[in-house]
Amino acid sequence: MRRRTGIKLWVLVLLCLSLPAAVLIPAPASAAQDSAKAARVLLVYDSLGVDTPAAGNIETLQRLLLSLGATVTTVASDAYKPEMAKDNAKLITVCNTEDLCGSITHGMTDFTGEWLHIGANPPEVLRGKLALKTETASRQSLKLSVSGLSEDHIFVNRLAYITEGKGETYGQITSSEGAIQTPYAVSAGGYAYVPYFQSGNLSELAIAYVLRTWLKADAPTQSYLLIGGITPFIDLDKLETLSEQLYNAGIPFLVSVSPLFNNTDYPAMKRYVAALQAVQAHNGSVLVQVPTPTSAGQDPSILKAQMDGFLNHLADAGIAPLGMTGDMKRAQGKEEREAGFAFSDTTILFANESGKASGQTEAVQPFAASPYTMPAKVLLRISRENKIWPAFPVNLAVTFDWFESDASQEEAVREAAGSWLPFADFKSEMHSLSSSAHKAESRSGALLLDGKPADLQDQAEPEEQAPVVSQPEQKVTFHALFSVQNRILIVLIITTLMLFAVFLLIGYRLYKKKYYKSGGGL
């Protein structure tokens, strides 16, 4: 009996020990593939809407999707093939030109995944799934509201809007005359319809709320302040002043800095590095800008070596960059992405300089961290119900371009400080960047360089150390020599004056005695 009891006890112990192992066994490959497939989005558009209000919205969608962690494949409707949908569980169709909308869904009738349509003429599948009815209005001035945010006087030449729909609704569109009061978007069962989207106004955030739900993204979000356009050729004293102003206002910030590949031993580069030390000393985080493909004009492998050299140069100076920035176009090509962004999985993408989306059709993988950029001038003109901003649907980098005048710089600092935007410290999250010789990373607010805390205290008074351009040894020697000569001359002059005074006194007394002996009088 005791033996059986002992066996049962051993069996129970073994079962208990095996449970954690069972939990730690990797999920089957098929489950992992399904999860990867669920994050893949096929984006099909009828036109780029060049020279229309829709220009730029495809690129904006690409950046939003990447910021929300989706893998994005973008293709024009005339190049779409039915087999493209097989590798994607989610489909977004965009109608930018109403005359071309009819052809956008050709070959998509067999698609059974989740579907989001943006613009006029929603496909029949969505009409059925959402019990959707729409109408069209011309030349309207609208007020758009969503999640406690609102923007007035949005003018649209032609607007499709929802009259009936079934499902969860997002925001509201109201015409200035009050004739139109309709939900901004509707969603149900993996299907969603957004009748209006245009980059450059509140609809950027409004559609981000829809995308967040549609992609089932639920991670908490942060907002950051990003200063762009930092190059060696700006007024670096103003950069140090700006760093101090933001520090005194209690605002953590990011800077996007342009690399310098040549003449890194010149005084200008030393001055640039000193200014970036000042940024880091004032609680600023440094990101390195990847040159645009058009301006690089070189083989990707050459660019990668040059970027690596610049990153090593920064690290040698005690600067710990935490990620990269670059145009969307640079992130879409496999070789160019490898050349510029291979050093870090933290990347902030900007709109292309040309304002046009790339025709690239290969899948673009998301970065581990990629806050979505929105210009401060766009965000700060949005009204809100409460003083405190609501939670944004996506990690947001609020951007300021470099300031050309002291007045514009001071005004921007006042706007940021008075905006009640909850700017977060980029170092509070985990980011890392590795070059061939160094590794920079952040952990829970700490900044590390090669595993050791980056020493910011030595840079606490950067203005006293900044222009650290040593004078040549010969000049220092001459300076010391001239200093000694000056002291010798001073001593000689003083000695001469004293001797002159003594001789004058002696001469006076001798003259006085001679005068008395000759019988003269005073």
Side-chain angles (χ1 to χ4, degrees):
M1 185 71 179
R2 290 180 180 176
R3 185 178 179 183
R4 288 183 179 179
T5 304
I7 292 173
K8 290 179 179 179
L9 182 61
W10 277 108
V11 170
L12 182 61
V13 170
L14 289 173
L15 285 172
C16 291
L17 291 174
S18 64
L19 281 174
V23 172
L24 294 175
I25 292 174
S30 60
Q33 290 171 357
D34 289 343
S35 176
K37 185 179 179 181
R40 297 178 67 89
V41 177
L42 178 63
L43 175 59
V44 182
Y45 62 92
D46 61 344
S47 78
L48 294 176
V50 178
D51 297 328
T52 73
N57 65 357
I58 299 301
E59 179 192 78
T60 299
L61 282 172
Q62 291 172 332
R63 292 191 294 117
L64 276 171
L65 291 167
L66 290 175
S67 295
L68 289 166
T71 299
V72 187
T73 303
T74 307
V75 61
S77 58
D78 55 3
Y80 171 81
K81 298 178 181 178
E83 57 268 23
M84 291 180 177
K86 293 180 181 178
D87 296 328
N88 299 274
K90 294 179 179 289
L91 170 67
I92 298 178
T93 49
V94 183
C95 172
N96 281 332
T97 306
E98 197 167 348
D99 294 340
L100 302 176
C101 281
S103 61
I104 198 171
T105 57
H106 286 172
M108 298 180 182
T109 54
D110 295 333
F111 181 76
T112 58
E114 299 182 351
W115 194 339
L116 165 64
H117 182 76
I118 302 170
N121 296 341
E124 291 301 322
V125 175
L126 266 69
R127 290 185 180 275
K129 296 290 184 179
L130 300 174
L132 193 62
K133 292 184 179 180
T134 62
E135 291 185 11
T136 303
S138 299
R139 302 184 63 81
Q140 294 289 323
S141 178
L142 306 174
K143 177 181 179 180
L144 173 59
S145 305
V146 62
S147 296
L149 303 174
S150 64
E151 184 174 353
D152 293 317
H153 311 302
I154 298 175
F155 180 80
V156 294
N157 189 48
R158 192 164 176 83
L159 173 70
Y161 62 95
I162 300 168
T163 56
E164 290 184 25
K166 180 180 67 176
E168 180 182 1
T169 59
Y170 301 81
Q172 188 174 45
I173 292 177
T174 306
S175 64
S176 58
E177 298 175 354
I180 299 174
Q181 289 187 347
T182 178
Y184 171 73
V186 62
S187 172
Y191 295 88
Y193 176 54
V194 179
Y196 169 76
F197 168 61
Q198 180 180 325
S199 58
N201 60 34
L202 178 57
S203 63
E204 281 190 39
L205 289 178
I207 201 169
Y209 283 106
V210 181
L211 290 171
R212 179 180 173 88
T213 303
W214 188 66
L215 293 170
K216 300 178 178 62
D218 54 5
T221 60
Q222 302 273 23
S223 56
Y224 308 97
L225 177 65
L226 172 62
I227 311 297
I230 308 300
T231 75
F233 312 109
I234 63 171
D235 185 340
L236 296 173
D237 290 331
K238 283 177 58 180
L239 176 58
E240 294 185 18
T241 301
L242 174 63
S243 302
E244 187 174 358
Q245 289 172 332
L246 291 172
Y247 180 80
N248 292 336
I251 301 175
F253 62 102
L254 302 159
V255 292
S256 172
V257 305
S258 296
L260 191 65
F261 298 143
N262 301 310
N263 304 323
T264 54
D265 57 342
Y266 277 30
M269 181 61 181
K270 295 179 180 179
R271 185 70 184 88
Y272 191 36
V273 169
L276 298 183
Q277 289 174 340
V279 166
Q280 188 168 278
H282 286 105
N283 203 27
S285 299
V286 176
L287 305 177
V288 179
Q289 171 82 11
V290 180
T292 59
T294 52
S295 66
Q298 57 194 189
D299 184 86
S301 61
I302 297 176
L303 175 62
K304 186 174 183 180
Q306 290 178 325
M307 292 293 295
D308 181 68
F310 180 75
L311 294 173
N312 285 333
H313 192 85
L314 291 182
D316 290 340
I319 299 170
L322 294 178
M324 317 299 293
T325 64
D327 289 356
M328 180 66 195
K329 185 177 181 180
R330 172 66 80 181
Q332 290 177 301
K334 184 176 180 180
E335 290 185 356
E336 292 179 341
R337 175 165 170 156
E338 173 66 18
F341 300 120
F343 305 97
S344 175
D345 207 24
T346 295
T347 294
I348 295 181
L349 296 175
F350 299 119
N352 291 331
E353 288 184 353
S354 63
K356 297 179 181 179
S358 171
Q360 186 73 32
T361 57
E362 64 183 270
V364 180
Q365 301 291 331
F367 297 93
S370 184
Y372 177 74
T373 56
M374 176 174 275
K377 62 183 179 182
V378 174
L379 182 65
L380 295 180
R381 71 168 178 246
I382 294 173
S383 303
R384 57 193 186 276
E385 292 179 356
N386 303 310
K387 183 177 289 186
I388 304 299
W389 290 77
F392 294 118
V394 63
N395 285 325
L396 194 65
V398 183
T399 63
F400 284 94
D401 292 329
W402 179 245
F403 314 101
E404 296 300 330
S405 66
D406 293 338
S408 60
Q409 178 172 305
E410 292 174 1
E411 181 182 0
V413 173
R414 285 196 300 270
E415 285 182 342
S419 66
W420 287 84
L421 279 164
F423 293 119
D425 188 346
F426 204 65
K427 298 185 292 295
S428 64
E429 303 291 336
M430 291 187 65
H431 306 283
S432 67
L433 180 148
S434 298
S435 62
S436 60
H438 299 280
K439 181 177 182 179
E441 54 190 328
S442 62
R443 297 177 186 171
S444 303
L447 186 63
L448 306 177
L449 186 59
D450 297 326
K452 300 177 181 179
D455 193 353
L456 304 182
Q457 294 304 317
D458 290 345
Q459 304 165 16
E461 299 294 336
E463 63 275 15
E464 296 179 4
Q465 302 182 19
V468 203
V469 182
S470 301
Q471 298 295 331
E473 187 65 27
Q474 186 179 13
K475 291 187 178 181
V476 175
T477 304
F478 283 152
H479 178 76
L481 179 60
F482 290 145
S483 178
V484 172
Q485 288 177 344
N486 288 339
R487 292 176 183 176
I488 292 173
L489 288 173
I490 290 171
V491 171
L492 288 174
I493 291 170
I494 292 174
T495 304
T496 303
L497 290 173
M498 291 177 65
L499 289 173
F500 178 76
V502 170
F503 288 139
L504 185 65
L505 180 62
I506 293 172
Y508 173 75
R509 299 185 73 172
L510 289 173
Y511 175 76
K512 186 177 179 182
K513 288 180 180 180
K514 182 180 178 181
Y515 185 79
Y516 280 127
K517 287 180 180 181
S518 62
L522 293 174

